[in-house]
Structures are given as structure tokens and as C-alpha cells.
């Protein structure tokens, strides 16, 4: 059976006080609209239509390839918004889901349940409703003596008696497409706000004798709308708990969910342990049996299995299996580590390739460098990759041993198995198997210190 969906997302979101359209604000690293799109798609909709208006270009770019776009140039109300999607749907047989782009907690199962109930009852429209302890601001569901839905009345238009109703309109509906757009074109903006209300359809249908159904949602948190940044943060917390729960159920240990932040696109393998105060963002993929954190941030990074990362930042990088990172490492974009690499404390790596088994254990900067396998970089080594004008590369061959506190002035090449003396400033290439030392001869003056002390 045919199921279509329209997501209303043209509103400005005035209370967000933002340049960014409301539906593009992030929750756990993804725009809130993307959660709604995913839920709709998972409920069985092929190409949802998104109605855009405020920030239409930005919103359209975000959903490109995932949805069709209908433009509402003026925000005249929800009925008017849905009408703009008409050209995409009018001739479709079947059912239409309608929902706002600002309820990202909505679950696919709930939408599918609404559609099921709608289809089995044969209603022309079915409203998803919820009981709210505090229904302020929502449209109220007015029921008749037989218990059927009669109409939906907005907060601003409600009588004192109607305002006491705690069953609210979630703004999520399932409609028969047949007759819907004809009815929408008859909605008039006769209300306190002077808007074309989609909710007027309900009373219209009831008056025409078309059946209207309602599905009462058990857990109303699912339809929490986001209107300001306080609600954004509240929903973020709920979403975060959900994502972490899914991770834990899939076999990942999250030691302290309250201080762990994992984006929704992140994938983590079984038996990996995530310690507190850790952020894992973007398209990061982590293998099995890793220990991540405490106090780490990984962004858009692919991590193999058996890796430890503690108190470190890793951005846009590729980490092989069994690597050991931190504490206090900073791996900047385009870092690639082969298997079994160690990057220790107070080390910065930028745009460099470190071959399998190489070690940079302490206090070093490695930038624009290529290291072969089993290279050892002594403490305090610096690749001098920038001369104030341009960046230059450093190449270090397999099993080379770079003495502590070496300056490698790029461009420079160190051959395989070559050694540099501690404290050397290397400005010329070093052939394979050679030793390069650049260091003033040490002077030793016997008794000098003792004599100085006596004078004083
Ligand atoms: C709407 C419902 C209300 C319900 C509530 C649930 C109406 C008249 N009222 O009220 O019964 O309880 O949602 O959250 O429908 N939009 C457009 N174009 C417009 C106006 C709105 O695309 O011209 C979009 C908004 O971006 C938003 C959604 O429609 O995603 C709902 O609009 P909003 O103004 O938030 O409606 P509410 O007043 O909350
Ligand atoms: Ca709203």
C-alpha cells in the first residue's frame, strides 16, 4: 500500500533566536530534521516531502537526495504549508503521514502504529494525541459524548473549559490522500492568529460525516516539540540516553552514560569500553575491544580493534589495530597510523603517516611526515615543517632511530635504519644505515664548579 509523508518545516522558529533555521539545529551531532526523516523512512515512506520556507536553501541542501522539497514562501499556517506539498501528492492513492520537523524523538514504530490504526479503522483522518500534565500551548482534542473526536482547538482560540482538556494534538496525523487537498483549499484563516490551521480539517471532516480517528500515545516525551534552546538541550539529553542505550545493548560498555557523548552516526564494535568524559563525534567508527577515554574526543575517525585512546583528541584520522594513544596526544586531521603504533604523552601529529610498529612516545611534534615501519622517535623530536612560507615534508625510513630532541628541518629524508644523535638539528638528508650527529663538542672543565663555590 502507498504511504507518503509530508514534514512541515517552513516555520522560522522565532524562539530559537537563531540565524539557523530551527530544524537544522543539531541534536547529538545531527540536525533535528534528519531524525524525523529517518523515522518517516523507517516507517515505510519512500520519498517524503519536506515543506521549507525560512532558510529554505539551507534546509533543502540538508535533505537533498533524501526528500522532495516543496516551498512555502509565506508562512500562513499549517494548512497552507501542507497545501504546498499538493503537487507531489494529489494523484497518489493511499495514505499520508503529516508531522512537524521539530519533533525528533518520534519513533518509526509510533508512526507505523498510527498508520496501522488509521488503515484498519477506515477513517479519513487519524490524529496522534497525548495526555499532558501541562497542555499549555498545544491544540486541545475536543471529544463528543460518544468519545469520538469532534475538533481540535488551538490554545489561543480555546474557551476556559477547553483549556482544561489535557489531551493534546501532537501535530502528527495520518490522512487519506483522497479528498484531502480539496478540503485544505477550503480552510479559512478565521481564528485569533489569522492563520490557515491544518487542525480545521478535523472539524470539517466531522461535519461532513467522514470518520476521524485518534491514537493516544502512551509516552508523551516522544512528541516533545523543540521551540527554544532550553527544550533543545532537554531533548538532546533524552536522545543521548537513547543512543547510548542502543550502544550498550549492542555490546559496548559505557561506564558513565551521564558524561559520555556519542553522535548518532558513530559505530562502535563489541566489547569496546568507553570511559567517562568522552565525546565521539561525526562519522567515527571504532572497532572491537578498544578502550576509549577517559577524557577523549574522537571526531570523524576510523579506529581499528584493540586500540586504547586516553585523555586525547583525534580528528579526521585513521588508526590501525592495537595502537596506543595518549595520555594527552593531539592527532590532527589526515593522521594515519598503521597497526601497533604508539603515540604517547604530549605528542602532536598532523597530516602524517606512521608505519606499523612505529613509536612516538613523548613530547614530540610530527607534521607533514611519512614514517616507515618500526621507527622510533625520541622524546622532544620536532619536525620543522614550516619555514614561515610553506610546509615541507619529512621522510623517515623503516627502523630509523631518531635521537631525543632532534630537529628535523624539512624537507629532509632519513634513510632506513639510520640514527640521529640526540640534540641534533638535521638539515641534510641522512642515508640508510648512517649516523648523523650535529652537535658542538662537549667541553669539560674539571673542578670549575667547586672553584666557583669557594670564591663566593
Ligand atoms: C501545531 C498545531 C497544534 C499542535 C502543535 C503540536 C496547528 C494549527 N496547530 O501548533 O494543534 O498541538 O502543532 O506541536 O496546526 N509550519 C510551516 N508553515 C507554516 C506554519 C507552520 O511549515 O506556515 C510548520 C512549522 O515549521 C512546524 C509545524 O509546522 O514544524 C508546526 O507549526 P507551529 O507553528 O509550531 O504550530 P503550533 O502552533 O505549535
Ligand atoms: Ca510548535
Amino acid at each position: 500500500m502507498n504511504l507518503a509523508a509530508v514534514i512541515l518545516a517552513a516555520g522560522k522558529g522565532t524562539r530559537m533566536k537563531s540565524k539557523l533555521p530551527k530544524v537544522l539545529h543539531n541534536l547529538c551531532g545531527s540536525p533535528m530534521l534528519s531524525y524525523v526523516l529517518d523515522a518517516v523512512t523507517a516507517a515505510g515512506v519512500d520519498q517524503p516531502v519536506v515543506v521549507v520556507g525560512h532558510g529554505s536553501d539551507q534546509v533543502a541542501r540538508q535533505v537533498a537526495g533524501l526528500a522532495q522539497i516543496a516551498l512555502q514562501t509565506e508562512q500562513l499556517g499549517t494548512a497552507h504549508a501542507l497545501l504546498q506539498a499538493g503537487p507531489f501528492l494529489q494523484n497518489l492513492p493511499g495514505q499520508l503521514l503529516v508531522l512537524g520537523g521539530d519533533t525528533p524523538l518520534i519513533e518509526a514504530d509510533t508512526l507505523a502504529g498510527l498508520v496501522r490504526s488509521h488503515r484498519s479503522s477506515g477513517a479519513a483522518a487519524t490524529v496522534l494525541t497525548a495526555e499532558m500534565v501541562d497542555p499549555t500551548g498545544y491544540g486541545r482534542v475536543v471529544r463528543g459524548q460518544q468519545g469520538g473526536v469532534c475538533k481540535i482547538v488551538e490554545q489561543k482560540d480555546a474557551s476556559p473549559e477547553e483549556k482544561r482538556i489535557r489531551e493534546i494534538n501532537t501535530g502528527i496525523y495520518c490522512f487519506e490522500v483522497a479528498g484531502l487537498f480539496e478540503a485544505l483549499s477550503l480552510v479559512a484563516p478565521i481564528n485569533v492568529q489569522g492563520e490557515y490551521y491544518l487542525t480545521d480539517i478535523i472539524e470539517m471532516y466531522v461535519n461532513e460525516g467522514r470518520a476521524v480517528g485518534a491514537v493516544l500515545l502512551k509516552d508523551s516525551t516522544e512528541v516533545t516539540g523543540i521551540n527554544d534552546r532550553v527544550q533543545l538541550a532537554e531533548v538532546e539529553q533524552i536522545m543521548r540516553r537513547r543512543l547510548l542505550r542502543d550502544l550498550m545493548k549492542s555490546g559496548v560498555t559505557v561506564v558513565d552514560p551521564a558524561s559520555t557523548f556519542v553522535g548518532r552516526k558513530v559505530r562502535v564494535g563489541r566489547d569496546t569500553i568507553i570511559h567517562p568524559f568522552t565525546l565521539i563525534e561525526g562519522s567515527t567508527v571504532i572497532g572491537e575491544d578498544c578502550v576509549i577515554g577517559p577524557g577523549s574526543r574522537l571526531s570523524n575517525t576510523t579506529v581499528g580493534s584493540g586500540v586504547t585512546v586516553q585523555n586525547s583528541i583525534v580528528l579526521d584520522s585513521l588508526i590501525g589495530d592495537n595502537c596506543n594513544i595518549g595520555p594527552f596526544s593531539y592527532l590532527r586531521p589526515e593522521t594515519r597510523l598503521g597497526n601497533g603504533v604508539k603515540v604517547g604523552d604530549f605528542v602532536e601529529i598532523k597530516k602524517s603517516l606512521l608505519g606499523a610498529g612505529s613509536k612516538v612516545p613523548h613530547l614530540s611534534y610530527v607534521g607533514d611526515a611519512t614514517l616507515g615501519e618500526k621507527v622510533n622517535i625520541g622524546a622532544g623530536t620536532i619536525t620543522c615543517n614550516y619555514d614561515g612560507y610553506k610546509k615541507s615534508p619529512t621522510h623517515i625510513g623503516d627502523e630509523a632511530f631518531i635521537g631525543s630532541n632532534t630537529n628535523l628541518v624539512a624537507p629532509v629524508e632519513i634513510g632506513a635504519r639510520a640514527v640521529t644523535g640526540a640534540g641534533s638539528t638535521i638539515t641534510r638528508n641522512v642515508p640508510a644505515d648512517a649516523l648523523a650527529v650535529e652537535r658542538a663538542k662537549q667541553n669539560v672543565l674539571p673542578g670549575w664548579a667547586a672553584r666557583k663555590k669557594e670564591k663566593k
Side-chain angles (χ1 to χ4, degrees), residues 340-380:
V341 168
K342 177 181 172 66
V343 176
D345 50 283
F346 306 102
V347 171
E348 176 176 339
I349 312 253
K350 181 221 122 185
K351 201 177 181 178
S352 294
L353 171 65
L354 279 63
S358 287
K359 292 187 168 71
V360 190
H362 356 251
L363 300 155
S364 293
Y365 171 61
V366 176
D368 302 302
T370 309
L371 278 60
E373 299 188 353
K374 295 190 187 154
V375 170
N376 190 84
I377 304 281

Side-chain angles (χ1 to χ4, degrees), residues 7-13 15 22-23 51-53 72 74-82 99-103 135 137-140 152-157 168-173 191 193 195-200 223-227:
I7 300 171
L8 305 180
K12 188 172 180 187
R15 283 168 284 174
K22 177 164 84 176
V23 292
V51 180
V52 300
Q72 185 193 27
E74 264 187 295
Q75 282 65 62
L76 302 178
T78 44
H80 180 258
L82 182 53
L99 67 169
D102 59 353
T103 49
Y138 289 97
R140 308 297 207 282
I152 293 169
V153 57
E154 291 307 294
Q155 165 90 21
K156 289 181 180 152
D157 303 297
I168 61 99
N169 169 26
T170 63
I172 301 173
Y173 321 83
N191 51 60
Q193 305 191 82
E195 283 182 14
Y196 295 85
Y197 286 170
L198 174 54
T199 44
D200 284 358
V223 290
T224 312
I226 296 175
N227 292 310

Side-chain angles (χ1 to χ4, degrees), residues 184-218:
L184 280 173
S185 64
L186 299 175
V187 170
I190 307 167
N191 51 60
V192 172
Q193 305 191 82
E195 283 182 14
Y196 295 85
Y197 286 170
L198 174 54
T199 44
D200 284 358
I201 288 285
I202 303 301
E203 192 176 8
M204 216 184 256
Y205 277 6
V206 170
N207 291 341
E208 285 169 12
R210 297 187 75 182
V212 173
V215 171
L216 179 69
L217 191 62
K218 281 199 196 73

Side-chain angles (χ1 to χ4, degrees), residues 65-376:
L66 302 171
Q68 297 168 285
I69 297 292
L71 183 65
Q72 185 193 27
T73 45
E74 264 187 295
Q75 282 65 62
L76 302 178
T78 44
H80 180 258
L82 182 53
L83 210 45
Q84 310 312 306
F88 294 94
L89 305 161
Q90 235 145 13
N91 301 317
L92 280 184
Q95 290 74 40
L96 173 66
L97 273 172
V98 176
L99 67 169
D102 59 353
T103 49
L105 293 171
I106 189 69
E107 300 211 50
D109 285 351
T110 304
L111 296 177
L114 175 67
V115 174
R116 253 196 321 275
S117 159
H118 174 88
R119 282 175 175 161
S120 65
S121 72
T126 307
V127 189
L128 185 68
T129 71
E131 296 266 1
M132 293 279 180
V133 181
D134 177 12
T136 312
Y138 289 97
R140 308 297 207 282
V141 178
V142 180
R143 290 181 181 261
Q145 263 135 28
Q146 262 77 52
V149 176
C150 297
K151 64 171 180 177
I152 293 169
V153 57
E154 291 307 294
Q155 165 90 21
K156 289 181 180 152
D157 303 297
S159 67
E161 198 179 313
E162 287 165 339
K163 281 191 181 125
R164 281 196 289 275
I165 299 173
R166 287 177 41 229
E167 187 183 8
I168 61 99
N169 169 26
T170 63
I172 301 173
Y173 321 83
C174 186
F175 293 106
E176 287 303 301
V177 177
L180 175 63
F181 288 90
E182 293 79 351
L184 280 173
S185 64
L186 299 175
V187 170
I190 307 167
N191 51 60
V192 172
Q193 305 191 82
E195 283 182 14
Y196 295 85
Y197 286 170
L198 174 54
T199 44
D200 284 358
I201 288 285
I202 303 301
E203 192 176 8
M204 216 184 256
Y205 277 6
V206 170
N207 291 341
E208 285 169 12
R210 297 187 75 182
V212 173
V215 171
L216 179 69
L217 191 62
K218 281 199 196 73
D219 177 10
S220 64
T221 49
E222 229 188 277
V223 290
T224 312
I226 296 175
N227 292 310
D228 59 29
R229 300 200 201 216
V230 176
Q231 285 167 326
L232 181 69
E234 284 163 3
V235 172
E236 165 101 19
Q237 287 221 7
I238 298 169
M239 189 64 84
R240 188 152 64 85
R241 279 200 295 271
R242 237 193 227 180
L243 296 174
L244 291 171
R245 185 196 56 199
D246 291 349
L247 265 190
M248 292 186 270
K249 293 223 160 149
S250 75
V252 176
T253 296
V254 178
V255 175
D256 179 24
S259 69
T260 305
F261 303 79
V262 177
R264 78 185 291 233
K265 283 181 285 183
V266 170
R267 299 287 169 264
V268 185
R270 280 191 182 189
D271 290 317
T272 284
I273 300 172
I274 304 175
H275 283 290
F277 307 109
T278 294
L279 262 99
I280 308 177
E281 306 170 318
S283 53
T284 297
V285 178
I286 297 173
E288 300 189 354
D289 303 308
C290 294
V291 179
I292 309 294
S296 295
R297 176 172 168 226
L298 282 75
S299 187
N300 301 315
T301 287
T302 301
V303 178
S305 290
V307 171
T308 68
V309 178
Q310 46 168 328
N311 296 93
S312 292
I313 297 177
V314 186
L315 311 175
D316 305 286
S317 294
L318 267 171
I319 312 294
D321 294 334
N322 303 313
C323 289
N324 211 320
I325 296 165
F328 313 112
S329 316
Y330 181 24
L331 273 56
R332 291 167 53 197
E334 293 184 57
T335 292
R336 285 174 295 154
L337 307 185
N339 294 339
V341 168
K342 177 181 172 66
V343 176
D345 50 283
F346 306 102
V347 171
E348 176 176 339
I349 312 253
K350 181 221 122 185
K351 201 177 181 178
S352 294
L353 171 65
L354 279 63
S358 287
K359 292 187 168 71
V360 190
H362 356 251
L363 300 155
S364 293
Y365 171 61
V366 176
D368 302 302
T370 309
L371 278 60
E373 299 188 353
K374 295 190 187 154
V375 170
N376 190 84

